[in-house]
Amino acid sequence: MKKTLVLFLMSALLFSVGFAQNAKTPAEQIANDKVIYQKIDSLLRIMTIEEKLGQLNQVNSGISDHKKGAYLSPDLEPMIREGKVGSILNIYGVDVTRKAQEYAMQSRLKIPILFGLDVIHGYRTTFPTPLAESSSWDMALLEESARIAAIEASAAGVHWTFAPMVDVARDPRWGRIIEGAGEDTYFGTLAAAARVKGFQGEDLSLNNTILACAKHFAAYGGAEGGRDYNTVDISERTLHETYLPPFKAAIDAGVLSFMASFNEIAGMPSSVNRKLMTEILREKWGYKGFVVSDWGSIGEVRNHGISKNDETLGILALNAGLDMDMESKIFIKLAGAVRSGKIKMEVLDEAVRRNLYIKFKLGLFDDPFRYCNNEREKALVLSPKHREIARKVAERSIVLLKNENNLLPLKRDTKRIAVIGSLANAKRDMLGEWEVVGRPEDAITILDGIRAKVDSKTKVVYAEGCTVSRDEKVALSDKGFNAAIQAAKNSDVVIAVMGETADMSGEAHSRSSLDLPGVQLELLKKLVETGKPIVLVLSNGRPISLNGEALKVPAVLETWQLGVEAGNAIANVLFGDYNPSGKLTVTVPRSAGQIPIFYNHKISGRPIEPKNPTDRYKSRYIDIPSDPLYPFGYGLSYTTFAYRNLKLDKKSMKENDTLKVSIEIENTGKRNGEEIVQLYINDFEASVTRPVKELKSFRKLTLSPGEKKIVDFMITRKDLEFLSASLTPIVESGKFTVMVGRNSTDVLEESFELVP
Ligand code: NOJ
């Protein structure tokens, strides 16, 4: 009887949900969800406690090194057959995912497995790191690169990516700054939404879309000292104002999975943080998806010192609203706690329900093998079209920081070019961290890109000079200096490629210094002494503080880590086939000692007077200037833009009015160029202190030489809103300053009043 019921339910599940998956209107969605929840309830009725806990259990495929390729550890087979695995991470490739899913189809209830992978900036077609890509300020592009990552990953059997990372990052020592969209919250909300839409597409049930995951909930980027995994101790205001909005934006864009962060906030580790996962996420924001822990993070609560007992930690996590245990192997052991009533069945069922809901949404109950198609995998992964788009994104991620006397762009027929630095010839480092299945052999190096670009008669000489490495013995050697100096002396121009290797940023790669690592600065000094014109091409994960001789170099190009097409994109910019348009989404400090330094800081009671910057009793350093090396929003072009006639259509507005801000931008140079026009607002007087300015809008324009355009921005109540002393959104009458400009410091200003 029981067996017949199971079979009946299973066939009902397998064949009857499909009709509703493509539902479009909200009413159809609600009806669709209702059907899904009914089916889930039927399933829950026949699941054992062990099977329920199995759905909350996420295990590693067995891969520890992606270079060895996709793999399924043999010990997983019996667990899967027994229904003890709800999800596998680090699994990909049609053949391997098919095998795992086949085992699941041999389990009692045949519940499909959810396959997850860190598809952070591309699958095999590696795109620029997320921080790099954010420098394009082009949300359509961010969406497109996530879309392509989803197309490739889904073709290789992957259902779910652990991305986007929507953590606001204001400390460049933190290696994971490379994984986000920089330091600004508003910008972060747009990037979060674009990336979620890109991964999930219009319809999660299509076989070319994947589930996105907003991570790491919450405030992971606020780690003390920029040291990964470290304690976060921030005010409620900072949590709500700075760190939470990108998560909310991800929900509004439809994200259906969240990942809890490793850190504690003000005494509460995120994996057991009920306030975050239940009160804010579910009760306040109405989130319908599930929350996965980070790797082993439930178990790590032992180290945080909340309890040393696994069962207690599992109970705390589940009751707090965590639904899936990534590799702590604690949830799977909670059957006794459920039986003894320490965990209420409703709590367990709710967590299972949230997980199964996603499996239905992905269409896995319709066809568990729908993502397993060898032809699609072959045709789509690293396709020429995808590489082409990766190059386009890479070009737009490059930021021109300095270009004295228009040294750039270089001429293709320059007779002799010296290319110096190990990073010029480093395939692996072009990919950046979290390349996961990306392969070094797919990457175009900077040297390759330059060689392919120059005229046949141009002589390109490469000298390593020094090796960028985390191994001090290698990094401190100056053995290659002479050859590099010689190459520089014999050239007409020197392209010095310097920065960080891929393994100097990303997870667990915090640095205490932002300087060029190793002996690169000494080498640069020697190159400057040759008197040759030098272009410094920075290749790095996080912002680099240039100092000493590096400040004398006439041209500096920030190229981050740009993925498989890095070399081609950089050569296109160096030789003028693409006019750089990127702008920084993160402040570049003069030195790590300036941290925290971000553009939207609060104003102190003793701010520095711009006219008298060394005035004694002011909030400043006595040994270095207090302003950054490059401010947020900064970036140059091979052309120039004039900003004129900032106008407001009225001097005062009421709460429900719209105020029009317009500005004239003219391309005053000799090339076509793109400009990112930025609008900031300061609330001049408020009942709680407000940042000196906050980005509220921006526009990217293309202008031909001599062309002028008027850009209009509309200011509404939302742009003037802030959190009151009791953290509720309000607007207050009074004066506001509007600033429009080419970056966060070079702006034109006007003011208006909000009247009751
Ligand atoms: C730990 C990282 O913090 C997280 O971002 C990642 O998704 C998981 N490991 C899985 O690889």
Side-chain angles (χ1 to χ4, degrees), residues 4 13 49 67 128 205 390 609:
T4 334
L13 289 170
I49 292 174
K67 283 175 213 81
S205 75
E609 296 281 342

Side-chain angles (χ1 to χ4, degrees), residues 58 60 66 89-90 116-120 161-163 165 167 176 179 213 215-216 220 228-229 259-262 292-296 326 434 436 507-508:
Q58 187 186 49
N60 186 27
H66 290 282
L89 83 149
N90 284 329
L117 182 72
D118 289 284
V119 182
I120 307 295
T161 175
F162 308 123
M165 185 190 96
D167 296 309
R176 299 196 83 167
E179 274 180 72
C213 179
K215 73 185 189 185
H216 306 81
Y220 181 40
D228 208 3
Y229 315 122
M259 186 184 289
S261 57
F262 283 120
V292 63
S293 75
D294 204 337
W295 181 288
M326 182 194 286
W434 286 117
V436 186
E507 186 180 348

